[in-house]
Amino acid sequence: MPTELEELVEFLHHGNTQIRQIAAENLVGYSTAQPSIFKAQQLTPVKDLKLLVKDYAPIAKNALTILVNISEDQEVLKHLATDDAFLESVLLRITHPKEPNANLLSMLLANLSKSDSLPTRIITLERTIPKSLSSTPVALDQLLDLFVKGAEGRYNKDADYDYLSYLFADTAKHAEGRKHLVTSWKDDDNIVPLTKLVVFTENQSEVRRRGVASTIKNVAFDISSHPQLLAADGVNLLPYILLPLMGPEEYSEEDTEGMLEDLQLLPPDKERERDAEIVKTHLETLLLLTTTRGGRDHLREVKVYPIVRELHLHFGDEEVGEGCDRLVQVIMRDEEGEETQAENRAPKIEEVESDEDEKIVDIL
């Protein structure tokens, strides 16, 4: 005979709305405590939950919470991420300006992006254009517009869409994703998608800052895009990743000569990024940008060294300090064929350890 819990799971597809609601509400806790119950009968409960996403808002909220929590399971993740009809259902709802569960949908998409199939699919997927949101049929670009316009409840009073930044970071792990993010598109006013994201490196939301920082770093693995990333008339990336590293310190005239204008004369209450992981991510991005001679020379010309020096002095984290050391060693070392000056001599750079993927989102 089925247990009481197994019977409760079966009520997810009951014809009575109140019974479905009670079942979904009571099963939320088991999505973290005993997630295997949702894999019974060849994932029948998961299939029921996908349908409940379209149900009344309270039922959909509980169904989405469960799906967010159980999508850590690889079998469940694959089932959800490869279902195009379900993906369209999620996209249809998340882009609606009055969707009450939009943030949960953002979390679900962030988790589904851990599957290799979804990031590459969302780059090529074209769908109906939500007129109040976007001008492009590409799903990824619609989500970018949602992320921008929806910040702090400006598109939907019930959502900020911060967790979409994790989807963008995972998308940028793929060559196709990196290419898309640095390419200007005619149906989007010839805007380079990455320029929509870099402006959020000092946003008040830690989730948003973290996801955007990881997206930028992953894009920087494409060495061919470095000139565009660094160019003032391109992405103009440096001000956006250097400002979070800076505090209220004053710099000497020698240090500021050549420094980017956006980084000079900062107010005395300027706050430095407090999250060590985000700071390390920005340092790793800067290190990636030193891959070419042109990148190294550019970072020297705009006086990145004094900024990193002050960061090292004022940020009390061992790993951040190590990241500063690695970057300084590259910036201050002599190039091959150039005469070495004793004051600029530096030991060999260490390799950067690869960071862990963004964690699966859980709702407790």
Side-chain angles (χ1 to χ4, degrees):
M1 292 181 61
T3 65
E4 290 183 2
L5 187 55
E6 289 170 338
E7 289 181 345
L8 183 61
V9 171
E10 291 181 0
F11 284 137
L12 288 173
H13 55 251
H14 198 279
N16 185 291
T17 301
Q18 288 185 326
I19 292 177
R20 291 199 307 275
Q21 183 171 345
I22 292 171
E25 184 176 350
N26 283 279
L27 284 168
V28 168
Y30 291 102
S31 64
T32 54
Q34 199 172 333
S36 61
I37 65 171
F38 298 97
K39 297 175 64 175
Q41 300 177 359
Q42 297 181 323
L43 300 180
T44 293
V46 176
K47 297 171 185 176
D48 291 338
L49 290 166
K50 290 194 296 182
L51 292 175
L52 293 186
V53 170
K54 306 175 185 179
D55 215 318
Y56 295 105
I59 300 176
K61 178 180 179 180
N62 289 323
L64 283 167
T65 301
I66 295 171
L67 286 174
V68 168
N69 288 340
I70 67 176
S71 55
E72 181 176 359
D73 182 274
Q74 289 302 307
E75 185 180 0
V76 174
L77 176 62
K78 181 179 179 180
H79 176 80
L80 295 175
T82 56
D83 186 339
D84 286 349
F86 178 65
L87 176 59
E88 174 54 31
S89 178
V90 169
L91 292 172
L92 181 65
R93 279 159 179 75
I94 197 173
T95 54
H96 194 287
K98 294 184 178 180
E99 169 57 51
N101 298 314
N103 274 344
L104 282 170
L105 290 163
S106 298
M107 294 179 187
L108 181 59
L109 282 173
N111 283 0
L112 297 188
S113 67
K114 302 305 173 190
S115 166
D116 286 339
S117 63
L118 188 128
T120 52
R121 178 79 181 98
I122 214 162
I123 298 166
T124 58
L125 177 62
E126 294 191 359
R127 54 189 306 274
T128 302
I129 300 174
K131 297 300 183 183
S132 62
L133 173 66
S134 186
S135 61
T136 169
V138 179
L140 177 61
D141 292 326
Q142 291 180 9
L143 293 176
L144 283 163
D145 288 336
L146 187 62
F147 184 74
V148 173
K149 294 182 179 180
E152 300 166 4
R154 294 198 300 268
Y155 181 75
N156 179 340
K157 65 180 180 63
D158 296 315
D160 53 37
Y161 307 98
D162 289 348
Y163 279 96
L164 287 179
S165 61
Y166 288 1
L167 178 145
F168 304 143
D170 283 323
T171 300
K173 291 179 180 178
H174 300 263
E176 305 96 319
R178 292 192 289 270
K179 180 180 179 181
H180 186 93
L181 289 170
V182 296
T183 302
S184 60
W185 300 97
K186 291 183 179 179
D187 59 6
D188 197 17
D189 298 324
N190 289 311
I191 295 174
V192 176
L194 188 61
T195 61
K196 298 179 180 181
L197 298 180
V198 295
V199 297
F200 293 107
T201 55
E202 290 195 297
N203 187 263
Q204 63 182 4
S205 165
E206 182 178 311
V207 170
R208 186 170 281 244
R209 298 196 311 274
R210 184 187 293 263
V212 167
S214 294
T215 303
I216 293 169
K217 188 191 81 169
N218 290 340
V219 169
F221 276 101
D222 177 21
I223 298 174
S224 65
S225 70
H226 286 189
Q228 181 187 11
L229 295 178
L230 293 170
D233 58 352
V235 176
N236 192 29
L237 179 60
L238 283 183
Y240 298 105
I241 58 176
L242 289 174
L243 271 172
L245 305 183
M246 301 178 72
E249 299 83 26
E250 294 185 5
Y251 293 88
S252 68
E253 183 176 343
E254 180 182 358
D255 283 341
T256 56
E257 185 178 357
M259 191 178 287
L260 298 171
E261 290 186 10
D262 293 341
L263 309 182
Q264 299 186 36
L265 302 176
L266 297 180
D269 60 349
K270 170 68 172 71
E271 294 186 0
R272 179 177 281 109
E273 171 62 60
R274 297 182 297 275
D275 187 279
E277 291 300 319
I278 296 175
V279 171
K280 287 192 294 182
T281 299
H282 287 317
L283 288 171
E284 289 165 3
T285 299
L286 289 168
L287 191 57
L288 286 168
L289 293 173
T290 65
T291 304
T292 66
R293 172 65 186 269
R296 294 191 295 275
D297 285 344
H298 187 72
L299 266 59
R300 292 166 182 145
E301 290 168 4
V302 300
K303 298 298 181 69
V304 169
Y305 166 68
I307 296 171
V308 178
R309 180 194 65 207
E310 294 301 314
L311 171 66
H312 193 290
L313 288 172
H314 293 92
F315 202 97
D317 182 271
E318 183 178 352
E319 292 185 359
V320 167
E322 292 172 356
C324 291
D325 285 337
R326 284 192 290 262
L327 182 58
V328 167
Q329 288 166 14
V330 176
I331 295 176
M332 299 302 290
R333 76 183 181 191
D334 297 298
E335 297 293 344
E336 185 177 353
E338 293 184 356
E339 186 177 352
T340 301
Q341 297 181 13
E343 65 270 26
N344 288 345
R345 192 182 299 273
K348 185 179 179 181
I349 184 173
E350 301 173 11
E351 292 185 2
V352 178
E353 295 181 1
S354 59
D355 62 334
E356 294 183 0
D357 294 342
E358 300 289 351
K359 292 183 179 179
I360 289 281
V361 179
D362 282 330
I363 306 173
L364 301 178

